[in-house]
Amino acid sequence: MDDRSMVDRSLVSVRAALVLLLAALTGVGVGLLSAATGNGLVAGVLSGLAAAGAAVPVFNQVIAPEAAAERPVARKGRAKGGSIRG
C-alpha cells in the first residue's frame, strides 16, 4: 500500500482532544485531593471519575467550536428589507 494514497486525517479534532484532556486533568486533580484528605484510594478514584464526567460538558460549552472563528461578524446598522409587515 502506497503511503501517498492514504489520507492524513486525525481521529479526533483538536477541540475534542482539548476537552478530554482538561476533563482528565480535572479528574486527576480531584481524585488526588480527595485521596489526600484521607477518604481512601477507592473514594478518590470514584470522585475523580465523577469530576471528569461532570467536567466534559462544562468544557464542551466553554471552549468555542472551531467553526465560530470562521463566521463573519454581523455589521451594526439597520438591515434592508425584511420587516414584519412586508
Side-chain angles (χ1 to χ4, degrees):
M1 185 174 220
D2 190 14
D3 289 335
R4 291 177 286 170
S5 66
M6 296 181 67
V7 179
D8 289 332
R9 292 188 305 169
S10 61
L11 294 175
V12 182
S13 69
V14 175
R15 180 176 179 268
L18 183 61
V19 167
L20 293 175
L21 175 67
L22 290 173
L25 290 174
T26 301
V28 168
V30 169
L32 287 175
L33 288 174
S34 178
T37 59
N39 290 336
L41 184 62
V42 175
V45 169
L46 289 176
S47 62
L49 287 173
V56 169
V58 171
F59 288 126
N60 191 28
Q61 290 289 338
V62 170
I63 299 173
E66 295 169 356
E70 299 174 5
R71 278 190 235 148
V73 178
R75 292 185 293 172
K76 292 182 179 179
R78 192 167 183 194
K80 296 180 182 177
S83 67
I84 296 173
R85 297 182 185 152

